[in-house]
Amino acid sequence: LASSSDLVVPRKLKGFRDYNPLLARTRKRIIDTLMATAYRAGFEPINTPAIEYSETLLGTSNQETDKEMYKFTDHGGRDVALRFDLTVPFARFVAENQGTLVLPFKKIQVGDVWRGEKPQKGRYREFCQGDLDIVGADSLASDVEVISCLASVLDQVLGSGYTVSLGNRKILSALIHAKLGALTPAGETGALIALDKLAKIGPEAVLELLQQIEGARPEGASELLHILDSRDETGNSDLELIRGHLPANDETRAIMDRFQQTGSILSQLFAGSKGTIRIDLSIARGLGYYTGVVFETTINDLKGFGAICSGGRYDRLVSRFSRQEIPGVGGSIGVDRLLAALEELGEMTEEKPRGIFVAIATDDARAYGFQLVNTLRRAGFHADIALKEGKLANQFKYADKKGYPFVVTVGKDEMESQVFSLKNMSTGDEQKNIPLQNLPSLARDILA
Amino acid sequence: LASSSDLVVPRKLKGFRDYNPLLARTRKRIIDTLMATAYRAGFEPINTPAIEYSETLLGTSNQETDKEMYKFTDHGGRDVALRFDLTVPFARFVAENQGTLVLPFKKIQVGDVWRGEKPQKGRYREFCQGDLDIVGADSLASDVEVISCLASVLDQVLGSGYTVSLGNRKILSALIHAKLGALTPAGETGALIALDKLAKIGPEAVLELLQQIEGARPEGASELLHILDSRDETGNSDLELIRGHLPANDETRAIMDRFQQTGSILSQLFAGSKGTIRIDLSIARGLGYYTGVVFETTINDLKGFGAICSGGRYDRLVSRFSRQEIPGVGGSIGVDRLLAALEELGEMTEEKPRGIFVAIATDDARAYGFQLVNTLRRAGFHADIALKEGKLANQFKYADKKGYPFVVTVGKDEMESQVFSLKNMSTGDEQKNIPLQNLPSLARDILA
């Protein structure tokens, strides 16, 4: 160990943070709610490694993501990277286990991901995501299932209202094609990336980006933006207007019908919840792997905070690893984004311990004190014990600082007569010589 | 995305593994038990980043650990490393937050750590640890608290017996000094590393290692091993014999008395549990930062499996980062070691869903089906829904494969009359036309 003359500065890397007990407790509440909701809906838990072969992850999303990835060489000289999301590793998992999975397979995974992006308020380079995915069914039922289960988690965690904006990559691509003309794959990606920036940089800047795309019809760009901005009387994207701009064939009709039904079932399911579903075809989502429905969720009272939950359908992601096509749909709750939102909204709840603190009056009663605390804990109560030898007054001061409402005291006399004292920390009342066997029932009464 | 002609092989890195639902569920059971037990005992949750500055981690343990560390350069050119344990980052956390922590501070942290060691059966390069630590008190009470709380977790998770072996670095160092003579710090570390291998390579090989240490009295090595091997009539290390070999001064007496009391209180607390406490002063623990009590835990029925839970006192670890000395004691449950042990013992429990599956007879009843499943979930029941359009027979087959004991069926007729059908999958009995409002109470009855 270093001597104190050459201290190591205790510091974290830029973009990383520690979670103090208040943050960690609230974060655990989010994750516990997510897991319980997912289990109830038949999603099964899996875990995949944080580190993957680089080739597994590279080129699945976009150039930005590739650049932000934490890449390095491991002890065996292999090119490896930390995962930047949980979706690509899941596609690898599905391809590797396709013989044994009963399809459709519904999975829940919670884990940290890493992106070396510019740190901003509430955004870190390490963050936790909770993903629900369904593979093996290209159905509107699975689209609805993923989105409604994620919304149910938000409903339980958030105190305030939220909005799920629902788009569709297939429809958006068809519109781009109809308005900008036939583009190269790179051109289409460029258009999607430009549209993804709508909320951030505004329509005029996006228009400029669209007009710069090679081979794009210049007058098409403003038409496209106008269509995407149009709303019907309910405030949703004007789907009838959009239908009019797309080729009138069976494929388009099937896509539009399915999308409308998805929105309609979700609206029914959202009734009475804190959430609103909004059809917004300008939603593009940055990640390169989406092929159908896409969605993102914002909190009504936090304008400009960004999405806390998003996802979409990715029917071709597993084919990166397998000749068998396995369609998929999924969404992530940004656990740490949601945590940052709760901080911002003042919805973190400081839990004060509702428990009993055992103070030790004389050293020879320490074993007796541990027996007491052990009895309480085994009966399911929250109980703590003095850890520092010394004055009883200091032990009481510590119990008070930690917020314990009741202190049990034991010393040599109490041990010999098998009794204890009890002090109510808020009233100051103290009872002495309570028989030991009364402890559990007393705890039940005072902690009720 | 890659075309199917250039598939990426779906594979994991050597030494890493995926957790399928059975593994992930059992792992979650371990973590949930640990968290609940820790909360009940007043430990507070924290989280620290997976990535730290290399200098924070390097040189805290031993050369082996330094070599196994995943080190790389980040986007900003900083030397960084993945954490190899949760103790060193916690010491950094304590130093960084010493102004705000109420001491003694009791913390629980669960997280993954990485070591590029040789993969072996049940040992991986990425593994989860659950750590309990207490900083700010150099007391036997905090030693007892950490060990008894960890044991309580094992008691709830394991079906079989386990043994906690308790040693003490201070006593072991005093014995080394008394028998091998005054060694250099490197020599003492060498002796501890050699003794740490006792269980693995046997006393003869350790004797040879001890005799090679520079400056060590050659006849002292076998005496040392003999003393460490001696047992009293209860099978514990012979503490009276050991006292006789140590200098008879107040300091030694205080250390020995405290150690004996620690063992004695723990024995009382272990009474009636699945655990046994055993005093074994040959326990050295590989990590360089221990300064007092050390312990490791093995499962009685798994000889040769290695430790599943270990730790000790590290009074000088925080001083690496701070001029203020803050004593500490802590222990880790090797969550993934324990998981591997449960696999080995056949104590994984396959949980079949106790829930209701909703089958959709006609497409137009899909929204109605989702309403049903939503009602059930909101009432706290486990409920799933058909995700694939198609024959009812296939939906039943899928529900059966997934293990659902009951299937509710709805179609256009059921929707119009606001009723549903219910099939018991094990008896084959089917009831039709049950009124919708009976659903929650019916679920309560059949899933009881």
Side-chain angles (χ1 to χ4, degrees):
Chain A
L1 293 179
S3 74
S4 63
S5 59
D6 47 4
L7 287 181
V8 173
V9 182
R11 55 179 181 158
K12 290 172 294 293
L13 288 159
K14 196 178 150 193
F16 288 78
R17 78 160 161 175
D18 290 327
Y19 296 79
N20 65 24
L22 176 59
L23 286 167
R25 247 192 306 259
T26 310
R27 195 186 202 217
K28 184 176 183 314
R29 173 161 65 92
I30 298 170
I31 294 171
D32 286 351
T33 306
L34 172 61
M35 292 301 291
T37 306
Y39 273 40
R40 245 182 350 251
F43 288 84
E44 300 186 72
I46 70 155
N47 286 108
T48 63
I51 314 177
E52 297 269 0
Y53 279 100
S54 294
E55 64 165 5
T56 299
L57 308 180
L58 282 169
T60 49
S61 176
N62 56 44
Q63 288 177 327
E64 202 61 24
T65 320
D66 281 359
K67 229 167 49 194
E68 291 169 356
M69 224 178 281
Y70 283 88
K71 291 184 285 281
F72 57 99
T73 308
D74 78 357
H75 301 86
R78 288 166 285 249
D79 287 329
V80 302
L82 297 179
R83 63 188 176 201
F84 67 93
D85 77 355
L86 301 177
T87 310
V88 180
F90 177 55
R92 193 267 305 144
F93 173 92
V94 172
E96 214 176 325
N97 294 281
Q98 54 185 295
T100 58
L101 294 177
V102 176
L103 298 181
F105 177 67
K106 301 167 77 172
K107 88 101 201 313
I108 161 80
Q109 179 172 9
V110 177
D112 288 329
V113 303
W114 294 266
R115 295 184 197 172
E117 58 193 339
K118 204 172 149 236
Q120 297 168 48
K121 196 175 170 243
R123 286 191 182 271
Y124 297 89
R125 290 178 170 169
E126 172 181 75
F127 50 98
C128 178
Q129 294 197 322
D131 277 32
L132 296 183
D133 288 88
I134 301 174
V135 288
D138 174 11
S139 65
L140 81 88
S142 38
D143 297 348
V144 167
E145 176 74 343
V146 161
I147 297 170
S148 67
C149 287
L150 288 168
S152 161
V153 177
L154 297 179
D155 235 60
Q156 296 166 73
V157 170
L158 279 170
S160 34
Y162 60 92
T163 301
V164 178
S165 300
L166 198 68
N168 189 302
R169 268 281 176 88
K170 266 188 191 146
I171 301 173
L172 189 56
S173 290
L175 266 180
I176 290 171
H177 189 260
K179 294 295 133 190
L180 301 187
L183 301 176
T184 60
E188 194 185 316
T189 305
L192 289 168
I193 290 177
L195 291 171
D196 194 38
K197 298 187 175 147
L198 256 175
K200 217 184 273 177
I201 63 174
E204 277 167 45
V206 172
L207 182 65
E208 223 167 285
L209 288 174
L210 289 175
Q211 283 168 337
Q212 284 161 14
I213 291 170
E214 210 187 301
R217 290 198 307 122
E219 69 283 14
S222 62
E223 254 183 274
L224 177 63
L225 285 176
H226 172 73
I227 296 167
L228 292 177
D229 192 41
S230 305
R231 294 286 176 271
D232 64 18
E233 66 283 0
T234 61
N236 291 299
S237 281
D238 192 337
L239 293 180
E240 291 318 308
L241 174 80
I242 288 167
R243 272 184 201 261
H245 286 277
L246 295 178
N249 57 33
D250 285 353
E251 200 195 336
T252 306
R253 257 190 301 277
I255 293 171
M256 291 298 289
D257 287 352
R258 172 168 162 173
F259 184 62
Q260 271 178 307
Q261 272 190 60
T262 306
S264 143
I265 296 182
L266 281 171
S267 294
Q268 291 175 50
L269 292 174
F270 273 48
S273 81
K274 299 179 188 120
T276 308
I277 188 100
R278 198 173 58 111
I279 304 291
D280 182 352
L281 276 165
S282 74
I283 297 294
R285 299 292 310 138
L287 294 177
Y289 47 65
Y290 293 123
T291 56
V293 69
V294 284
F295 65 95
E296 52 188 47
T297 312
T298 49
I299 295 175
N300 299 347
D301 293 342
L302 292 180
K303 301 284 172 218
F305 187 84
I308 50 159
C309 173
S310 52
R313 176 161 285 282
Y314 50 85
D315 283 341
R316 287 195 297 271
L317 192 53
V318 179
S319 1
R320 176 178 171 81
F321 306 102
S322 163
R323 275 178 220 289
Q324 198 183 330
E325 293 222 355
I326 302 179
V329 61
S332 294
I333 288 198
V335 171
D336 285 321
R337 294 293 299 143
L338 189 50
L339 180 62
L342 293 177
E343 274 186 283
E344 199 76 13
L345 291 163
E347 292 182 14
M348 313 270 286
T349 41
E350 175 89 65
E351 297 162 57
K352 280 278 171 190
R354 286 283 308 157
I356 289 176
F357 185 87
V358 176
I360 309 291
T362 55
D363 278 3
D364 44 14
R366 198 184 290 112
Y368 184 60
F370 267 106
Q371 293 285 6
L372 258 63
V373 96
N374 215 26
T375 306
L376 287 168
R377 289 171 184 170
R378 282 191 189 170
F381 298 110
H382 176 167
D384 206 345
I385 186 165
L387 296 172
K388 264 185 141 163
E389 277 83 20
K391 283 188 195 160
L392 213 46
N394 289 338
Q395 297 181 32
F396 272 81
K397 209 182 283 175
Y398 176 77
D400 195 45
K401 262 194 197 168
K402 291 280 179 182
Y404 284 99
F406 296 95
V407 176
V408 157
T409 309
V410 291
K412 198 184 179 204
D413 295 348
E414 281 83 359
M415 176 175 61
E416 280 168 1
S417 352
Q418 296 278 297
V419 296
F420 63 90
S421 307
L422 178 77
K423 185 168 179 176
N424 181 324
M425 297 295 280
S426 54
T427 64
D429 289 346
E430 188 164 12
Q431 280 178 273
K432 298 205 172 204
N433 295 315
I434 310 174
L436 181 56
Q437 68 265 28
N438 293 6
L439 184 60
S441 67
L442 185 78
R444 234 181 313 277
D445 292 347
I446 61 181
L447 299 180
Chain B
L1 292 179
S3 75
S4 63
S5 59
D6 48 2
L7 288 182
V8 172
V9 182
R11 56 179 180 154
K12 291 173 294 291
L13 288 158
K14 196 179 148 194
F16 289 77
R17 77 160 162 176
D18 289 327
Y19 295 79
N20 65 26
L22 176 59
L23 285 168
R25 247 194 305 260
T26 310
R27 196 186 202 218
K28 184 176 182 314
R29 175 162 62 93
I30 297 170
I31 294 171
D32 286 351
T33 306
L34 172 60
M35 292 300 290
T37 306
Y39 273 41
R40 249 188 340 257
F43 288 85
E44 299 187 72
I46 70 155
N47 284 109
T48 63
I51 314 177
E52 297 270 0
Y53 278 101
S54 293
E55 64 164 5
T56 298
L57 307 181
L58 282 170
T60 49
S61 176
N62 56 46
Q63 289 177 328
E64 201 62 23
T65 319
D66 281 0
K67 230 166 50 193
E68 290 168 357
M69 224 177 280
Y70 282 88
K71 292 184 284 282
F72 57 98
T73 307
D74 78 357
H75 301 87
R78 287 166 286 250
D79 287 328
V80 302
L82 297 179
R83 63 187 177 203
F84 67 92
D85 77 356
L86 301 177
T87 310
V88 180
F90 177 55
R92 193 267 304 144
F93 173 92
V94 172
E96 216 176 324
N97 294 281
Q98 53 186 295
T100 58
L101 294 177
V102 176
L103 298 182
F105 178 66
K106 302 167 77 172
K107 88 102 202 306
I108 162 81
Q109 180 173 8
V110 177
D112 287 329
V113 303
W114 293 267
R115 296 183 196 171
E117 57 194 339
K118 206 174 148 236
Q120 297 167 48
K121 195 173 170 244
R123 286 192 182 272
Y124 297 89
R125 289 178 171 169
E126 172 180 76
F127 51 97
C128 178
Q129 294 198 322
D131 277 31
L132 296 183
D133 289 87
I134 301 174
V135 288
D138 174 12
S139 66
L140 80 90
S142 39
D143 297 348
V144 167
E145 176 74 342
V146 162
I147 297 171
S148 67
C149 286
L150 288 168
S152 160
V153 177
L154 297 179
D155 236 61
Q156 295 166 73
V157 170
L158 279 171
S160 33
Y162 61 91
T163 301
V164 178
S165 300
L166 198 68
N168 188 301
R169 267 283 176 87
K170 266 189 191 146
I171 301 174
L172 189 56
S173 290
L175 266 180
I176 290 171
H177 189 260
K179 294 295 134 189
L180 301 186
L183 301 177
T184 60
E188 194 184 318
T189 305
L192 289 168
I193 290 177
L195 290 171
D196 194 37
K197 296 186 176 150
L198 255 176
K200 216 185 270 176
I201 63 174
E204 277 167 45
V206 172
L207 182 65
E208 225 167 284
L209 288 173
L210 289 175
Q211 284 169 337
Q212 285 162 13
I213 290 171
E214 210 187 301
R217 290 198 306 123
E219 69 283 12
S222 63
E223 254 182 274
L224 177 63
L225 285 176
H226 172 73
I227 296 167
L228 292 176
D229 193 41
S230 304
R231 293 289 177 269
D232 64 16
E233 65 282 1
T234 60
N236 291 299
S237 281
D238 191 339
L239 293 180
E240 290 318 309
L241 174 81
I242 288 168
R243 271 185 201 258
H245 285 277
L246 295 177
N249 57 33
D250 285 354
E251 200 195 337
T252 306
R253 257 188 301 277
I255 293 172
M256 290 298 289
D257 286 353
R258 172 168 162 175
F259 184 60
Q260 272 179 307
Q261 272 190 59
T262 307
S264 143
I265 297 182
L266 281 171
S267 293
Q268 290 175 49
L269 292 173
F270 273 48
S273 81
K274 297 181 190 119
T276 309
I277 188 101
R278 196 172 60 111
I279 304 290
D280 182 353
L281 277 165
S282 74
I283 298 293
R285 298 292 311 140
L287 294 177
Y289 47 64
Y290 292 124
T291 56
V293 69
V294 284
F295 65 94
E296 51 189 46
T297 312
T298 49
I299 295 175
N300 300 347
D301 293 343
L302 291 181
K303 302 286 172 214
F305 187 84
I308 50 160
C309 174
S310 51
R313 176 162 284 283
Y314 49 86
D315 282 342
R316 288 194 296 269
L317 192 53
V318 179
S319 355
R320 177 179 173 80
F321 306 102
S322 164
R323 276 179 219 289
Q324 198 183 331
E325 293 222 356
I326 302 179
V329 61
S332 294
I333 288 198
V335 171
D336 285 321
R337 295 291 299 143
L338 189 51
L339 180 62
L342 294 177
E343 275 185 282
E344 198 76 13
L345 291 163
E347 292 181 14
M348 314 269 287
T349 40
E350 176 89 66
E351 297 163 56
K352 281 278 171 188
R354 288 281 311 158
I356 289 176
F357 185 88
V358 176
I360 310 292
T362 55
D363 278 2
D364 45 14
R366 198 185 289 112
Y368 183 61
F370 267 107
Q371 293 285 7
L372 258 62
V373 96
N374 216 25
T375 306
L376 286 168
R377 290 171 183 170
R378 282 191 190 171
F381 298 108
H382 175 168
D384 206 346
I385 186 165
L387 296 172
K388 264 186 140 161
E389 278 82 18
K391 282 187 195 160
L392 212 46
N394 289 338
Q395 298 182 32
F396 272 79
K397 210 182 282 176
Y398 176 77
D400 196 44
K401 263 195 198 165
K402 291 278 180 183
Y404 283 100
F406 297 95
V407 177
V408 157
T409 309
V410 290
K412 197 181 180 203
D413 295 348
E414 281 84 359
M415 177 175 61
E416 282 168 0
S417 352
Q418 296 278 295
V419 296
F420 62 92
S421 307
L422 178 76
K423 184 169 178 175
N424 181 323
M425 297 295 278
S426 53
T427 64
D429 288 348
E430 188 163 12
Q431 280 178 272
K432 297 202 173 206
N433 296 315
I434 310 175
L436 181 57
Q437 68 265 28
N438 294 5
L439 184 59
S441 67
L442 185 76
R444 233 181 314 278
D445 291 347
I446 61 180
L447 299 180

